[in-house]
Amino acid sequence: MGEGLQRLLEGRRLSPVQRRIAHYLAEHLHEAVFLSSVELAERAGVSQPSVTRFAAALGFAGYPELRNALRPLVVAGPWGPPASGSGIGGEGEVHLAREALSGEIANLTQVRDRLAGGLGDRVRELGAALAAAEPLPVLGLRVSSGLASSFAYYARRIHPDVRLLVHGGSELRDRLHTARRAGAEWLLAVVLPRYPVEAAQALDYARSLGLRIALITDVPEVPFAADVVLDAPVGDRLVFDSHAAPLVLAMVLVEAMADALPLRTQARLEEHERMTDTTGVFLQP
């Protein structure tokens, strides 16, 4: 993206629809600044109201004001004709994918480097606490349900009572209450953007029950309270977020749980191997 457009987008949490508009502007800014909101919507594959909401998300009163702010970037910058095949399905999309992968590599590198310091200390301490906590409820709503499910799947191999919570509503409160009655002391919650209101409400309810909150999220400062925060940035270069770094961080936390109680870990893993061999769960090589 041009530096001026990048500055407008910096620090903004855009919806998937708004990202499509941003991607189109990045690839076709030299012509987009002369389009109406209806024309931009058609070419970006979104609705006209989405263009208006995109302008508002960037702090403008409407699309005309945003267009006027973008036009000097075209006049001042060395914008040439669009690259052959740019846009959806063309070279522009390949370039965008490469940028997204580069961003993920940077995110993973950041997590790797931080594990040598305070983040690593928090992971080890939390791993020991969660390994000893029975039962262990694991919360993940909407987009966070996938990462929560992966964590719970592996944690069950080394922990005797992991309870996955991926459905909201009154059932979620019931299951949090049941877990607390059964002796739960911790709730591990995965809350990735965009943060669901129901997830924040569930954390408040869990805290009211006396549960301590451990959080896997994208930034260290989040708009809800937690006792321990493990943060890893999400990739936001594509229409939908990529969670490579938070997933790796979650797997490192499972490893810390395994290391905290090595004898139990060994016994449970060996028992699981015997079960899968006996029942033929997996294809043999």
Side-chain angles (χ1 to χ4, degrees):
M1 295 185 183
E3 290 184 4
L5 180 58
Q6 182 63 52
R7 283 196 297 271
L8 286 176
L9 298 175
E10 193 171 36
R12 309 284 184 177
R13 171 54 60 178
L14 302 179
S15 71
V17 170
Q18 291 166 349
R19 289 184 193 179
R20 286 186 65 86
I21 300 170
H23 293 165
Y24 184 86
L25 289 175
E27 296 293 336
H28 305 89
L29 188 58
H30 63 285
E31 62 184 47
V33 294
F34 300 104
L35 299 176
S36 68
S37 61
V38 174
E39 292 169 330
L40 175 59
E42 181 178 351
R43 299 195 186 190
V46 302
S47 67
Q48 188 277 330
S50 294
V51 173
T52 301
R53 287 192 291 270
F54 172 75
L58 299 187
F60 295 95
Y63 174 68
E65 185 177 323
L66 169 61
R67 183 176 56 193
N68 290 339
L70 292 175
R71 279 180 176 169
L73 303 180
V74 175
V75 174
W79 297 91
S84 175
S86 65
I88 297 175
E91 293 177 7
E93 187 173 278
V94 172
H95 176 70
L96 181 61
R98 289 173 60 87
E99 279 198 345
L101 289 171
S102 296
E104 287 292 17
I105 292 170
N107 290 343
L108 290 166
T109 300
Q110 179 193 128
V111 172
R112 180 200 64 189
D113 294 344
R114 291 174 57 220
L115 283 171
L119 178 61
D121 294 337
R122 293 201 303 276
V123 168
R124 285 187 291 272
E125 293 171 4
L126 180 60
L130 298 186
E134 295 183 35
L136 175 58
V138 177
L139 171 68
L141 301 180
R142 298 181 69 88
V143 74
S144 302
S145 63
L147 199 156
S149 297
S150 294
F151 176 90
Y153 178 86
Y154 291 111
R156 286 191 183 111
R157 299 290 176 264
I158 60 171
H159 190 288
D161 192 358
V162 176
R163 305 186 183 187
L164 180 62
L165 311 175
V166 293
H167 301 292
S170 60
E171 178 187 354
L172 175 56
R173 293 195 171 208
D174 288 346
R175 297 190 65 189
L176 285 170
H177 185 265
T178 299
R180 181 57 175 156
R181 288 284 299 272
E185 297 181 354
W186 282 89
L187 168 67
L188 175 67
V190 180
V191 187
L192 298 172
R194 304 162 68 190
Y195 310 132
V197 171
E198 191 169 24
Q201 293 171 341
L203 296 183
D204 287 340
Y205 181 67
R207 184 173 294 280
S208 74
L209 294 174
L211 288 166
R212 299 185 70 187
I213 308 298
L215 196 63
I216 296 176
T217 188
D218 63 316
V219 292
E221 300 294 333
V222 288
F224 25 83
D227 296 283
V228 179
V229 175
L230 304 181
D231 62 287
V234 301
D236 59 0
R237 305 292 182 91
L238 301 174
V239 171
F240 297 105
D241 284 342
S242 175
H243 301 150
L247 176 60
V248 169
L249 184 57
M251 294 302 97
V252 172
L253 179 58
V254 173
E255 189 81 6
M257 292 172 60
D259 291 343
L261 295 174
L263 295 180
R264 185 183 75 179
T265 295
Q266 179 181 354
R268 290 186 64 84
L269 289 177
E270 290 178 353
E271 178 186 0
H272 184 260
E273 285 298 310
R274 288 193 297 271
M275 181 276 292
T276 57
D277 289 344
T278 301
T279 57
V281 172
F282 302 113
L283 294 173
Q284 297 301 317

